[in-house]
Amino acid sequence: MRYDFDNPPDRRNTLCNKWDRVADLFGNPDALPMWVADTDFPCPEPVMEALRARLEHPIFGYHYPPDSLYEAVVDRMWEHHGWRIRPEWVVLGPGVISDLRSALGAVSRPGDEIVLQPPVYYPFAAAVGDEGRRVVENPLLLEDGRYRMDFPGLESLFEVVTSFPARDPRISAVVLCSPHNPVGRVWERGELGRLGQICLRQNAVLISDEIHCDLVVGDGAHVPAASISAELARNTITLMSANKTYNTPGLKTSFAIIPDEDIRRRFGFAGRARGGVNCLGLAALEAAMRDPDDYLEQLLEYLRGNIRVFREGIADLDGVKLVEPEGTYLLWLDMRGLGLDDHALARFVVNEIGIAPDYGYVFGTGGGGFQRINVGCPRSMVVEAVSRLRGALRAR
Ligand SMILES: Cc1ncc(COP(=O)(O)O)c(C=O)c1O
């Protein structure tokens, strides 16, 4: 089936966070909604068919995941990422952030330190705090327009902690965002291997949020960190869902892949309070994993077109620079050249330009002066955003 991403259904008045809360939250009802990380595209027709079929049965009681769903995930990992997993490694959940909390519960104790690499998806820090753990930061480095991980910086965090006599507090986990929201990196095998080795050496579990794994818009390929070696697999919790790619986050279904039996058991205990599975989400996830009509291919082609329009549209502007995205549909726009502080920049972007973005500073250290702009939207909106940006900068 050919999808028409240029003409999606109108989302206004559907209780949609991204569209219906712009006026309340940004104060400018005309600002283009380019913030929340969902797309404006309908989910694939096979997902709709699976949901319709499930809705035909009028009872929505308690459910368990069918074997066929585990098989779909196993096949998907092999076909898309060359990663051989076993069905028993897959644990269904109600959302990736919820699963992150279960992962923290499984591999750390209250008071432990957890490494984040900001600027990064801000609910990570909230999840760490909500679980009674503490964030330690190993900020990403921006060099020649590309972000990289600071490996010596990471090693030194462990040295600081372990030099204290009782090794308490201890760093028990490193949370990776791969591909990285918001800076758009698709980490290379070598980088992931190095990170994984540090975690192994330092006895810290790697929690790898790979929710954006399908959304590679550059030349690279997504490598699941746990696929690099059996040793690394045993020390990694991988978090995934179909929600970013197939636009189903409201169905509240995710999955973790946990090869180590003991960690898996503890993850199960930690997640018990978060409830069971959503029967509609199960149906949608299985259909999405099978992606029988090439939705993903078409989506990627469309997103690359949107990124091209944005990149070319701002190339000659002073004061703004696009960090070239390798993955996700979230652009990371460097506006530090405008010389505005974060609050002035937010006002400028929302009121003068007319875009509702995610403000860079909310992503933590290193996010100030940037804006995250979601181009998982019709091309016409990207064209309009570029035109507004150009107009506002000219008028400045
Ligand atoms: C990196 C990352 N992890 C997790 C989530 C949220 O996942 P969920 O809605 O399944 O909790 C998002 C959504 O933007 C994300 O970008």
Side-chain angles (χ1 to χ4, degrees), residues 37 95-98 121 124 177 181 209 211-212 241 243-244 252:
V96 165
I97 289 302
S98 179
Y121 182 58
F124 283 5
C177 194
N181 169 11
D209 176 337
I211 194 171
H212 295 278
S241 83
N243 295 341
K244 295 293 149 187
K252 297 296 185 207

Side-chain angles (χ1 to χ4, degrees), residues 29-302:
D30 297 323
L32 297 172
M34 303 182 90
W35 56 304
V36 177
D38 58 21
T39 72
D40 290 327
F41 309 133
C43 65
E45 188 49 32
V47 171
M48 287 303 293
E49 275 165 22
L51 287 169
R52 282 188 208 105
R54 180 60 194 78
L55 286 170
E56 281 304 310
H57 194 283
I59 299 175
F60 302 98
Y62 297 111
H63 286 69
Y64 62 91
D67 289 347
S68 54
L69 172 54
Y70 293 102
E71 282 156 23
V73 173
V74 169
D75 292 347
R76 174 88 177 194
M77 290 305 125
W78 175 241
E79 285 158 17
H80 284 244
H81 307 297
W83 185 21
R84 283 241 185 259
I85 65 165
R86 299 211 187 129
E88 64 270 23
W89 295 356
V90 178
V91 185
L92 273 290
V96 165
I97 289 302
S98 179
D99 291 344
L100 170 59
R101 293 184 62 172
S102 303
L104 293 169
V107 302
S108 65
R109 296 173 305 205
D112 280 3
E113 295 188 322
I114 309 294
V115 178
L116 302 184
Q117 304 194 89
V120 72
Y121 182 58
Y122 46 88
F124 283 5
V128 170
D130 290 346
E131 288 298 311
R133 278 64 170 168
R134 290 188 288 177
V135 172
V136 279
E137 293 192 340
N138 182 48
L140 297 177
L141 303 174
L142 177 57
E143 284 174 1
D144 300 327
R146 195 170 189 232
Y147 283 87
R148 62 178 186 79
M149 288 187 249
D150 179 0
F151 295 112
L154 181 58
E155 298 261 28
S156 69
L157 288 180
F158 287 97
E159 280 159 24
V160 170
V161 170
T162 53
S163 67
F164 197 71
R167 197 175 153 67
D168 202 13
R170 55 173 197 144
I171 294 177
S172 40
V174 175
V175 181
L176 173 70
C177 194
S178 174
H180 191 98
N181 169 11
V183 309
R185 272 301 314 275
V186 171
W187 304 110
E188 291 165 13
R189 181 177 294 273
E191 294 172 297
L192 295 166
R194 197 163 164 196
L195 177 68
Q197 285 306 321
I198 294 174
C199 290
L200 281 169
R201 211 166 38 246
Q202 299 292 354
N203 204 18
V205 172
L206 181 61
I207 302 174
S208 188
D209 176 337
E210 303 188 11
I211 194 171
H212 295 278
C213 61
D214 297 319
L215 300 170
V216 176
V217 293
D219 296 333
H222 175 74
V223 179
S227 70
I228 290 178
S229 70
E231 199 188 15
L232 238 165
R234 280 194 300 276
N235 193 48
T236 302
I237 297 177
T238 305
L239 307 178
M240 288 189 177
S241 83
N243 295 341
K244 295 293 149 187
T245 309
Y246 300 103
N247 209 20
T248 49
L251 292 173
K252 297 296 185 207
T253 302
S254 56
F255 58 95
I257 303 175
I258 312 175
D260 183 85
E261 195 179 343
D262 185 46
I263 298 179
R264 200 164 62 234
R265 187 180 49 76
R266 286 186 275 135
F267 180 94
F269 287 141
R272 259 202 314 227
R274 288 182 243 289
V277 288
N278 175 323
C279 62
L280 294 178
L282 293 181
L285 175 60
E286 184 168 344
M289 287 291 102
R290 296 283 181 203
D291 194 4
D293 65 355
D294 298 329
Y295 180 96
L296 172 58
E297 243 170 69
Q298 295 179 49
L299 175 71
L300 290 176
E301 185 190 320
Y302 195 82

